[in-house]
C-alpha cells in the first residue's frame, strides 16, 4: 500500500512562492489507479514526489508501512 500523508509542495517563482500541492492525503491499495484533473492540477507533481524526483515541503510518503519520504529514486525502485 502507498500512502501520502499531508503532502505539500511549492515552487519559488521570481517574486513569490506558488503552492502546487497543499495537504494532499491519498491511500492506494494494490491495483490500478488513475489520477485525473485539469492542466496544472498537480498530477505530474504527485507522480514526481512518489518517485522521489521531487521532495515534498511537508508530509510523509509511506510504502508498505515504511516511511520512504527521504529515500532516493534507486532505493524506492529496489523496494518495488
Amino acid at each position: 500500500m502507498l500512502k501520502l500523508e499531508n503532502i505539500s509542495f511549492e515552487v519559488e517563482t521570481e517574486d513569490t512562492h506558488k503552492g502546487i500541492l497543499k495537504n494532499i492525503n491519498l491511500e492506494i491499495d494494490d491495483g490500478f489507479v488513475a489520477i485525473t484533473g485539469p492542466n496544472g492540477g498537480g498530477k505530474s507533481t504527485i507522480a514526481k514526489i512518489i518517485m522521489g524526483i521531487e521532495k515534498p515541503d511537508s508530509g510523509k510518503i509511506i510504502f508498505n508501512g515504511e516511511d520512504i519520504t527521504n529515500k532516493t529514486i534507486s532505493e524506492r525502485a529496489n523496494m518495488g
Side-chain angles (χ1 to χ4, degrees), residues 6-67:
N6 298 312
I7 296 291
S8 291
F9 181 78
E10 62 180 34
V11 294
E12 188 174 334
T13 61
E14 290 181 21
D15 56 351
T16 187
H17 291 269
K18 181 179 180 184
I20 305 297
L21 303 173
K22 185 176 179 183
N23 295 323
I24 299 297
N25 292 288
L26 177 66
E27 192 170 312
I28 302 172
D29 291 321
D30 293 336
F32 182 81
V33 173
I35 298 174
T36 64
N39 290 344
K43 301 175 302 291
S44 295
T45 302
I46 289 173
K48 289 177 183 177
I49 286 173
I50 290 170
M51 289 183 283
I53 294 170
E54 296 284 0
K55 298 279 187 205
D57 294 321
S58 63
K60 289 196 274 186
I61 305 163
I62 309 295
F63 180 68
N64 290 335
E66 183 177 346
D67 185 348

